[in-house]
């Protein structure tokens, strides 16, 4: 196991982990609103979960993804009782890196011939490690972070890689995930894939997984940071574990560039493998946090996967994070892991926002109409991404 000793988060409607948990239990989706940063008249999707300027600290001229990452990592380090990243390996997760700056750089070109030949130099927006380098310099390290860019599973995969590093002997590992994908190119790409909601004004009808009236997800921006440690290191420095990563698994079905199998077998397999690694059986799990993107394929695949792994689902509440705070792509798995851990430590699952039980497509799903107590302090969190990548981790609350 790997201990989680510090967490940090910033995203739509919250500036730290405490505010994020308050948002989840409030049921508010007010941060999902019409996009104003650029003209969306060409796009089917008009809504996104957008971060408020008062929730992000730092120089506004700096990249948003960097400011969010620094803020989340600062909170995580403070919570863990650490003040430096020197000698600590850092893993950075993102699907798009500095995509806003990248688009601006390409847009300023007269032709591709004019693009600088050195596209890996310091400050270059196309380099996926650049945001990570800028983030970690704040805490005295010049070591280059390991960058995980496995699409929408990146946040979960970075945590899994950190967990593996701890199992292999690392004392401490820092994980950062950050994404700022609300840009014309990203919205256009997901529009073409018919993945985004076509709602134009009512946030309560956007991002509603497992509901037969769903029309896709809403993009979101945000960042999450976690400090992972070995149990021995936590005890030596008299630290405190907020919870534990007990198991992790990842696999690729290599099924399709964007689609996933609706039978859910690939998702079920990684969930079972993560549980087996963590020594957890189906009856031990008190909370499931699915990827839940509000797309027909994903919802059906996850429903079938969970039925195959857990059998009856009416006793295990589902926490659908993207219904509360949208889909932050490569950062989503890490943000949702922190949220899930917070729920385990509170012992409660939040109500599904804007639930209409009459329109839920699948029978037997426990989508809480109101906050409910958890039956255990163990949870399964899974993510899926393009090209058939599926990841899952098993979390345990702090009573371990």
């Amino acid at each position: 196991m790997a201990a989680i000793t510090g967490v940090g988060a910033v995203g739509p409607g919250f500036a730290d982990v405490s505010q994020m948990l308050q948002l989840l239990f409030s049921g508010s989706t007010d941060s999902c609103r019409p996009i104003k940063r650029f003209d969306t008249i060409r796009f089917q999707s008009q809504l996104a979960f957008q971060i408020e300027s008062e929730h992000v600290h730092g120089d506004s001229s700096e990249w948003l993804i960097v400011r969010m990452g620094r803020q989340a990592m600062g909170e995580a380090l403070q919570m863990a009782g650490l003040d430096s990243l020197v000698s600590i390996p850092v893993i950075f997760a993102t699907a798009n890196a500095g995509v806003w700056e990248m688009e601006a750089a390409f847009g300023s070109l007269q032709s591709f011939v004019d693009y600088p030949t050195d596209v890996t130099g310091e400050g270059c927006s196309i380099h996926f490690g650049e945001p990570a380098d800028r983030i970690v310099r704040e805490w005295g390290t010049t070591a280059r972070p390991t960058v995980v860019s496995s699409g929408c599973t990146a946040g979960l995969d970075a945590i899994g890689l950190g967990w593996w590093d701890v199992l292999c002997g690392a004392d401490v590992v820092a994980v950062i995930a950050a994404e700022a994908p609300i840009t014309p190119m990203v919205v256009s790409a997901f529009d073409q894939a018919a993945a985004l909601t076509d709602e134009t004004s009512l946030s309560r009808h956007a991002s509603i997984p497992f509901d037969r009236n769903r029309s896709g997800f809403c993009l979101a921006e945000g960042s999450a940071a976690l400090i992972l440690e070995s149990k021995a290191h936590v005890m030596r420095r008299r630290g405190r574990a907020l919870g534990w990563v007990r198991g992790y698994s990842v696999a690729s079905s290599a099924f399709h560039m964007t689609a996933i199998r609706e039978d859910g077998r690939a998702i079920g397999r990684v969930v079972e493998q993560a549980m087996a690694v963590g020594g957890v059986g189906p009856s031990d799990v008190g909370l499931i946090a699915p990827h839940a993107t509000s797309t027909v394929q994903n919802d059906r695949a996850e429903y079938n996967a969970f039925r195959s792994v857990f059998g009856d689902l009416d006793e295990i509440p589902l926490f659908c994070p993207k219904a509360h705070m949208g889909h932050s792509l490569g950062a989503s798995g890490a943000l949702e892991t922190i949220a899930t851990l917070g729920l385990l430590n509170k012992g409660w699952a939040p109500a599904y926002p804007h639930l209409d039980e009459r329109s839920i497509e699948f029978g037997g799903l426990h989508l809480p109409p109101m906050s409910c107590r958890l039956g255990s302090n163990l949870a399964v969190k899974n993510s899926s991404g393009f090209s058939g990548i599926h990841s899952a981790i098993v979390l345990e609350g702090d009573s371990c």
Side-chain angles (χ1 to χ4, degrees), residues 236-325:
R236 281 200 306 271
R237 70 180 190 89
R238 297 182 180 180
R240 174 179 174 268
L242 305 172
W244 304 81
V245 179
R246 289 191 55 150
Y248 164 75
S249 179
V250 59
S252 176
S253 65
F255 171 62
H256 188 270
M257 185 63 187
T258 58
I260 60 177
R261 293 185 186 275
E262 291 187 9
D263 61 20
R265 284 184 294 178
I267 297 172
R269 185 163 61 249
V270 296
V271 169
E272 288 177 328
Q273 289 172 344
M275 291 168 59
V277 169
V280 171
S283 61
D284 300 322
V285 174
L287 181 67
I288 301 171
H291 193 51
T293 58
S294 303
T295 60
V296 172
Q297 283 187 344
N298 185 91
D299 287 359
R300 291 177 180 170
E302 289 191 314
Y303 174 74
N304 290 327
F306 299 146
R307 283 296 300 269
S308 70
V309 174
F310 298 100
D312 292 336
L313 295 170
D314 54 357
E315 295 298 321
I316 309 176
L318 265 65
F319 162 52
C320 301
K322 294 175 183 66
H324 297 264
M325 51 189 180

Side-chain angles (χ1 to χ4, degrees), residues 77-212:
L77 285 170
Q78 183 177 34
M79 194 177 297
L82 302 172
D83 58 10
S84 171
L85 288 173
V86 174
S87 301
I88 295 176
V90 177
I91 303 168
F92 177 69
T94 187
N96 292 282
V99 65
W100 183 273
E101 291 74 20
M102 200 183 305
E103 288 186 46
F106 278 108
S108 66
L109 301 178
Q110 296 299 314
S111 72
F112 285 104
V113 176
D114 297 331
Y115 199 74
T117 56
D118 179 13
V119 296
T120 61
E122 182 176 344
C124 181
S125 58
I126 202 169
H127 190 281
F128 267 47
E130 178 63 24
D133 292 342
R134 294 188 181 205
I135 291 168
V136 300
R137 288 178 204 144
E138 187 86 1
W139 289 279
T141 182
T142 56
R144 305 207 79 169
T146 298
V147 178
V148 176
S149 188
S150 49
C152 296
T153 65
L156 215 56
D157 293 334
I159 297 171
L161 181 57
W163 165 82
W164 182 250
D165 284 351
V166 169
L167 263 60
C168 290
D171 286 331
V172 189
V173 178
V175 175
I176 314 170
E179 207 76 86
I182 304 174
T183 74
M185 184 178 73
V186 178
V187 172
S188 176
F190 280 102
D191 249 7
Q192 292 298 313
L196 298 181
T197 181
D198 58 9
E199 288 292 335
T200 58
S201 60
L202 295 176
S203 64
R204 68 185 308 274
H205 292 154
S207 195
I208 46 175
F210 305 109
D211 190 309
R212 62 171 54 91

Side-chain angles (χ1 to χ4, degrees), residues 39-81:
D39 187 359
T40 60
I41 193 169
R42 299 172 294 164
F43 306 129
Q44 174 177 277
S45 182
Q46 306 286 311
L47 301 176
F49 280 83
Q50 299 162 78
I51 198 163
E52 292 83 357
S53 58
E54 64 266 25
H55 288 150
V56 188
H57 309 148
D59 183 353
S60 61
S61 65
E62 179 61 282
W63 297 3
L64 175 60
I65 189 173
V66 172
R67 288 187 287 138
M68 292 190 299
R70 284 178 181 159
Q71 188 167 319
M73 180 50 70
E75 182 184 9
L77 285 170
Q78 183 177 34
M79 194 177 297

Side-chain angles (χ1 to χ4, degrees), residues 25-46:
F25 284 101
S26 75
S28 171
T29 57
D30 290 347
S31 292
C32 182
R33 58 185 188 273
I35 298 169
K36 299 296 185 184
R37 295 178 194 168
F38 52 88
D39 187 359
T40 60
I41 193 169
R42 299 172 294 164
F43 306 129
Q44 174 177 277
S45 182
Q46 306 286 311

